[in-house]
Amino acid sequence: MKRSFVLLSALTIFSTMLFAQGQQRQRMGDRQNVMEARAEKPDRGERFAQALELTEEQKTKIEGIHFESMKSTKAIKNTIGEKEAKLKSLTTVDNPDNKAIVKVASEIGDLKTQIFVGQIQTKQQVRALLDEKQKMKFDMMGDRMGQKGGRENGHRRGEQMKKG
């Protein structure tokens, strides 16, 4: 009886381990498939350039505009991260200083507004490089992005889900 119980327990543990390994291999395979699909798909900038039929000169200028925008946005996002850490510290003490909390929260809001304004300015700089036909397509692309939860509201969908 005791031997049967030990054998049954060992068999159960062994089958559970095999099942878990199979699940892990399946997830690894799924990740590999996603990575391969991404590698085959042109990046967002290239799809954008193709959709608008950009010239090489336009591509170069737009890349420069986006690079400068990303540089300034990165600095602001770093500052937001620091202020969010400070805010967390301020709000998790036993006797919170409400004035300090409001001040830091307001500073974070101001920084996020700077990012949003910067995105609008970047969009306008890019738009200024386009001909009339390209502007029409560009504007329609922006409308669709706003409907799908794109960057029109200053956030990407993944960032909204993390914070929400």
Side-chain angles (χ1 to χ4, degrees):
M1 177 79 166
K2 195 174 194 181
R3 182 177 264 186
S4 298
F5 179 73
V6 171
L7 187 58
L8 182 61
S9 296
L11 187 60
T12 302
I13 290 170
F14 182 70
S15 63
T16 302
M17 287 174 34
L18 283 177
F19 177 75
Q21 284 179 345
Q23 292 293 321
Q24 185 177 10
R25 283 188 186 125
Q26 183 178 357
R27 283 192 300 269
M28 296 280 281
D30 291 346
R31 284 188 201 135
Q32 184 67 28
N33 291 341
V34 168
M35 287 172 44
E36 288 171 3
R38 283 184 184 159
E40 293 172 7
K41 190 171 156 182
D43 73 353
R44 196 166 102 195
E46 189 57 37
R47 289 191 315 263
F48 175 80
Q50 289 172 355
L52 294 179
E53 301 173 22
L54 297 177
T55 66
E56 288 304 315
E57 182 182 0
Q58 287 174 317
K59 286 180 192 178
T60 302
K61 288 180 179 179
I62 290 171
E63 284 174 9
I65 290 169
H66 280 138
F67 179 74
E68 289 303 315
S69 173
M70 287 179 356
K71 267 184 12 185
S72 65
T73 299
K74 181 68 176 164
I76 296 170
K77 285 184 177 183
N78 288 341
T79 304
I80 289 172
E82 292 169 8
K83 295 207 178 278
E84 286 176 339
K86 183 176 181 179
L87 183 62
K88 185 171 185 173
S89 295
L90 288 170
T91 59
T92 56
V93 296
D94 289 336
N95 296 315
D97 179 353
N98 286 330
K99 285 184 181 180
I101 291 170
V102 169
K103 181 178 183 242
V104 173
S106 179
E107 291 170 354
I108 292 170
D110 292 344
L111 290 166
K112 288 184 177 184
T113 299
Q114 283 181 25
I115 290 174
F116 184 63
V117 169
Q119 289 171 340
I120 292 168
Q121 290 172 339
T122 298
K123 184 176 179 179
Q124 291 305 304
Q125 288 175 329
V126 169
R127 193 174 187 279
L129 297 174
L130 305 177
D131 65 30
E132 290 304 312
K133 183 179 174 185
Q134 290 170 326
K135 283 179 183 177
M136 183 65 72
K137 287 180 181 179
F138 181 75
D139 293 343
M140 291 173 61
M141 289 169 69
D143 291 343
R144 284 195 305 264
M145 283 180 67
Q147 292 169 358
K148 293 179 183 177
R151 291 180 175 238
E152 293 298 304
N153 59 4
H155 299 285
R156 278 182 245 122
R157 199 176 285 187
E159 289 175 352
Q160 289 175 339
M161 294 183 81
K162 275 193 278 184
K163 292 179 181 180

